Amino acid sequence: MSVTDRQARAYINGQAADMRVNVELETEEGMTLNLGPQHPATHGTLRVIAKLDGEQVVWADIAPGYMHRGYEKLCEVRTYPQVTTLVNRIDWLGSFANEVPFILAAEQLMDIEAPPRAKYIRTILFEMARVANIVLFLGDLGVQLGAVTPAFYAFRDREHVLDQIESVTGGRFHPNFDRIGGLKDDLPKGWIADTKAVMERMRTFCDEIEDLLFGNEIFEARTRGVGVIPADLALSYGLSGANARASGIDWDLRRDTKVGLAHDDVDWRVWTHPDGDSFARCWVRLQETREATKIVDQLCDKLPGGPIMAKVPRIIKVPAGEAYVATENPLGEMGYYVVSKGDLGPFRVKIRTASFSNVSVLPWLLKGVYVPDIITILASLYFILGDIDR
Amino acid sequence: MQRAWPERPAAQQQERESMSDTTDADVAEATGTNGAAEATEEQGPRDEAREAHLAVFTDALGDRVLGSHILVGHDLWVRVDRATWVEAVELARTKLGCTFFDFLSAIDWMPSPWGRYEDALLDESSTGAGIPAVDPSTIQQGFAGGETRFQVFARLANVRSQASVVIKVDLPDDDLSLATLTGLYAGANWHERECWEMYGITFDGHPGLRHLYLPGAFEGHPLRKDFPLVARMVKPWPGIVDVEPMPESDDPEADPEAEPAPDEETAAGDAVEATTADQASTGEEGTQ
């Protein structure tokens, strides 16, 4: 069976389930299954409501909002430097990556550029946030399928990455380290050698996970051909990051846009997978983790000298204007649409998070799948609740 | 719906150098992508690419394009009238190939009646007696202009050529409704639901405008500027200390009433150390 057939069949299945929905809703028959808001498979407080016909889902809806913190409103009453503290908490597994697009948007409005060394360190921490984030995904994936061991490996090895982030920024989870015009501090002594050792270790971890999970018969049976997202549908739903690349969309903001990070100076690859199923999403993320470790290694070798802070005014007032800057965060495209009126703080910040769009495909995707596959699909889409609810 | 994306062999890796080959389908758009590296030196090609994108809108819609703005090397803004909203978005999708639905949201351009809650002078008249009046003439819109308090904007992108456009539309205060985009982009569903509950803007033809984040019985529209941030009403934000000059600072640039950033940029280089330390303490305060 070719790829096209599988994708086409999944699409037809979805359409068929769509037809049945009307019947279900009219008659109010069948069973309604409520997953969450406190279900382990939902990674937090996400509620999945599924109407079942036997074991098959005929209609599904997602109820987010259990953790909505109103960051867009809160940003309006903070000054620009204060906003990074808030946005750290959006995708809490890769916190540093949340700060970067906001800072870049503010820098674009102010028309200043960080010095090369700051750009490099920014990119290093950006990619380390990706490693710390996706490593946990790879471990968690096993748990969702009944294999507990990878989770322990993931937590054990992620700690090394967090240690490195902590020794630079002072925070394991919420660095709050990025500044308009540069960074708060330089790297500590001996950090580069330690980091390269940790990156080597993370590559070993990836190999371990590949041996443990990706060659596993049960894993393949549970993920291959499950939750197929066609490419055009992925784009229409705004799927980004590894979820889009797993549907064959060759698009990576690190490569395709020039946002002021140092990804252009190193040699790395964008991996795609044509299948669009759960396996493809996991596989692409595994490769991305490897690429991220390579990026960190190369940037550490090439790290230029010089200042880590551009010349910025003592009081940061951002000139009036609008800017949208997005970066390729661990979960996908994350962007900030910042409207400034020349004030100390932003007038309006629209936060475009990856998980929000990624999860919005679920009502379509869950139609026609079987109950155990809900768990696999939720895990493979990989969302962080803070990233949906903001 | 047809599958428009070409097949790729399994585990294909796209060498980043080969990007220029993959994007040569559309000359104008490819210029926009690949010219990015040179954009800092010469801005001509980038401008032309975005002007070509803008021409797509002006040619097809004529004077129904009410305003536009090109930020060289970054983005294109187009403002259309309300009746043309869906047509303009469809144009972006078909002519510019913007099949990626980035986001949709709204802006309330009215200045907040409570300012930025910095004054810490919230007496009874402002907390107890409803919403302070705002002079409508103080409303000032951003890029591509505008005439009304509420604007809806959506960003669409082409993932191959990196063409992108932000389309804005004005909504009159007495009729906050707009045609839905769910027929064009399935992903517009959640964005419109969020916009509806946060701004009270209804989307005609939307398959189910239900609350997304807020509880069903919630009253009001939180992201409107006249919706108070109750936490600040109860207790003024300690962050106000950050905008006051430091006691030991002799730097005249530290005056909060000083000119905005561009003028200070060149002069305040030696204040960098102080800035970084100051921001660090800001972060700590925000956490607690």
Side-chain angles (χ1 to χ4, degrees):
Chain A
M1 182 171 47
S2 82
V3 169
T4 327
D5 290 341
R6 194 154 52 198
Q7 288 182 342
R9 210 178 56 190
Y11 185 73
I12 293 164
N13 277 344
Q15 295 285 315
D18 212 345
M19 309 273 274
R20 260 178 287 159
V21 158
N22 303 327
V23 180
E24 280 288 322
L25 289 177
E26 278 162 18
T27 57
E28 286 297 315
E29 283 174 3
M31 179 192 163
T32 304
L33 179 71
N34 213 341
L35 268 160
Q38 291 288 356
H39 191 276
T42 60
H43 306 264
T45 45
L46 181 78
R47 186 169 156 222
V48 181
I49 308 147
K51 285 207 162 79
L52 306 180
D53 177 13
E55 275 278 292
Q56 203 169 23
V57 177
V58 290
W59 176 88
D61 196 17
I62 308 293
Y66 289 88
M67 228 161 73
H68 187 244
R69 294 154 289 178
Y71 281 163
E72 291 180 12
K73 184 86 175 170
L74 293 174
C75 284
E76 291 173 8
V77 296
R78 271 154 173 80
T79 63
Y80 282 91
Q82 287 169 344
V83 168
T84 51
T85 321
L86 282 182
V87 300
N88 256 294
R89 274 102 181 135
I90 291 177
D91 161 19
W92 50 70
L93 292 182
S95 292
F96 184 80
N98 296 324
E99 304 171 16
V100 173
F102 180 80
I103 293 291
L104 289 172
E107 286 180 355
Q108 184 184 314
L109 281 166
M110 295 177 73
D111 200 19
I112 53 177
E113 202 180 350
R117 187 174 173 85
K119 272 189 191 175
Y120 269 66
I121 300 176
R122 230 179 232 178
T123 316
I124 290 173
L125 290 170
F126 187 81
E127 291 302 323
M128 285 180 78
R130 182 186 316 279
V131 174
N133 189 327
I134 301 182
V135 156
L136 211 59
F137 161 80
L138 294 169
D140 177 70
L141 191 66
V143 177
Q144 308 297 345
L145 297 170
V148 185
T149 317
F152 293 116
Y153 285 6
F155 276 105
R156 181 196 68 194
D157 285 354
R158 183 185 67 140
E159 209 56 36
H160 299 292
V161 183
L162 292 182
D163 282 348
Q164 291 307 107
I165 293 176
E166 187 186 7
S167 62
V168 185
T169 66
R172 277 175 80 238
F173 259 54
H174 301 304
N176 195 27
F177 192 66
D178 213 352
R179 298 287 183 267
I180 293 171
L183 292 164
K184 179 175 169 254
D185 262 322
D186 212 331
L187 298 175
K189 208 174 172 185
W191 189 84
I192 286 175
D194 291 352
T195 302
K196 288 173 90 171
V198 168
M199 288 301 126
E200 187 56 47
R201 192 177 177 125
M202 297 323 290
R203 279 192 286 275
T204 317
F205 168 81
C206 289
D207 296 344
E208 276 176 6
I209 287 289
E210 191 160 28
D211 285 349
L212 276 172
L213 277 180
F214 284 75
N216 187 299
E217 217 171 286
I218 300 169
F219 178 80
E220 295 236 345
R222 291 288 305 276
T223 53
R224 289 267 192 195
V226 171
V228 178
I229 306 175
D232 56 347
L233 196 91
L235 288 173
S236 151
Y237 270 102
L239 258 67
S240 52
N243 292 332
R245 285 189 285 277
S247 293
I249 299 165
D250 185 25
W251 182 46
D252 193 314
L253 290 170
R254 289 175 286 175
R255 179 194 64 192
D256 297 337
T257 60
K258 315 290 167 192
V259 290
L261 293 173
H263 290 106
D264 274 354
D265 301 350
V266 290
D267 185 32
W268 59 285
R269 275 175 176 171
V270 176
W271 294 81
T272 60
H273 199 291
D275 282 4
D277 56 8
S278 294
F279 181 86
R281 291 190 281 275
C282 304
W283 184 87
V284 167
R285 286 209 176 82
L286 177 75
Q287 304 307 329
E288 266 184 28
T289 316
R290 289 181 168 147
E291 291 301 325
T293 60
K294 280 185 214 161
I295 293 173
V296 172
D297 271 0
Q298 293 178 55
L299 287 173
C300 283
D301 287 336
K302 288 185 173 182
L303 194 65
I308 51 152
M309 198 70 186
K311 289 182 177 180
V312 289
R314 167 76 175 73
I315 301 291
I316 290 178
K317 267 192 183 179
V318 175
E322 298 178 29
Y324 178 74
V325 176
T327 53
E328 186 75 31
N329 276 35
L331 297 161
E333 177 192 343
M334 178 180 208
Y336 293 84
Y337 189 94
V338 182
V339 180
S340 173
K341 288 207 163 181
D343 211 342
L344 291 166
F347 181 77
R348 163 103 173 90
V349 180
K350 160 71 190 167
I351 307 172
R352 194 267 186 221
T353 51
S355 296
F356 181 83
S357 296
N358 287 352
V359 167
S360 72
V361 77
L362 276 175
W364 179 87
L365 190 58
L366 291 181
K367 271 178 208 164
V369 307
Y370 291 96
V371 173
D373 290 341
I374 297 177
I375 310 299
T376 327
I377 291 170
L378 284 177
S380 74
L381 269 179
Y382 192 40
F383 47 87
I384 303 284
L385 258 293
D387 206 43
I388 302 174
D389 287 354
R390 306 195 293 273
Chain B
M1 203 181 295
Q2 291 123 26
R3 291 194 60 255
W5 207 265
E7 290 297 318
R8 288 176 194 280
Q12 180 199 6
Q13 311 111 34
Q14 193 79 38
E15 288 290 340
R16 52 209 313 268
E17 283 79 13
S18 70
M19 261 311 282
S20 52
D21 302 329
T22 59
T23 52
D24 61 4
D26 187 327
V27 176
E29 290 167 5
T31 319
T33 317
N34 301 325
E38 300 88 62
T40 44
E41 286 88 33
E42 47 168 40
Q43 295 170 341
R46 299 274 304 186
D47 255 341
E48 279 165 21
R50 289 202 160 74
E51 272 158 22
H53 298 162
L54 177 59
V56 169
F57 289 95
T58 47
D59 290 351
L61 302 174
D63 55 4
R64 284 180 291 167
V65 174
L66 300 177
S68 64
H69 183 90
I70 293 175
L71 193 62
V72 175
H74 293 294
D75 243 325
L76 165 70
W77 279 262
V78 176
R79 184 167 63 96
V80 296
D81 68 17
R82 192 155 62 133
T84 321
W85 171 244
V86 175
E87 202 183 327
V89 171
E90 200 166 4
L91 208 61
R93 185 188 166 97
T94 51
K95 292 283 163 58
L96 293 185
C98 293
T99 49
F100 178 74
F101 185 79
D102 208 340
F103 62 81
L104 177 145
S105 191
I107 307 181
D108 179 358
W109 286 106
M110 186 177 78
S112 171
W114 293 285
R116 295 188 61 249
Y117 300 84
E118 283 166 345
D119 306 335
L121 291 173
L122 297 168
D123 54 14
E124 285 76 22
S125 64
S126 65
T127 51
I131 300 158
V134 171
D135 181 7
S137 65
T138 57
I139 295 179
Q140 219 179 14
Q141 286 82 1
F143 287 171
E147 285 140 26
T148 54
R149 179 183 157 189
F150 288 102
Q151 276 187 332
V152 170
F153 64 106
R155 189 175 188 274
L156 311 160
N158 182 338
V159 295
R160 280 197 243 172
S161 71
Q162 312 308 323
S164 65
V165 59
V166 179
I167 302 180
K168 283 185 173 181
V169 61
D170 290 344
L171 293 182
D173 281 357
D174 53 352
D175 182 18
L176 291 176
S177 68
L178 192 63
T180 181
L181 295 183
T182 45
L184 290 171
Y185 297 95
N189 188 327
W190 278 30
H191 291 269
E192 287 179 356
R193 276 171 71 186
E194 190 194 5
C195 193
W196 168 75
E197 69 176 358
M198 292 296 170
Y199 286 96
I201 294 163
T202 50
F203 290 88
D204 301 332
H206 189 281
L209 275 181
R210 293 170 288 127
H211 278 296
L212 187 70
Y213 288 139
L214 305 170
F218 193 90
E219 286 179 26
H221 304 290
L223 279 180
R224 286 189 180 184
K225 289 285 182 180
D226 52 11
F227 190 96
L229 186 59
V230 182
R232 289 291 172 89
M233 298 298 226
V234 177
K235 187 170 178 269
W237 176 241
I240 185 163
V241 297
D242 300 323
V243 297
E244 290 173 344
M246 288 292 170
E248 69 273 19
S249 171
D250 303 325
D251 191 353
E253 299 291 343
D255 180 8
E257 299 305 319
E259 284 298 302
D263 306 326
E264 295 179 16
E265 227 172 82
T266 49
D270 50 352
V272 165
E273 293 296 320
T275 313
T276 49
D278 187 32
Q279 284 174 348
S281 64
T282 309
E284 293 305 313
E285 280 169 23
T287 323
Q288 283 153 15

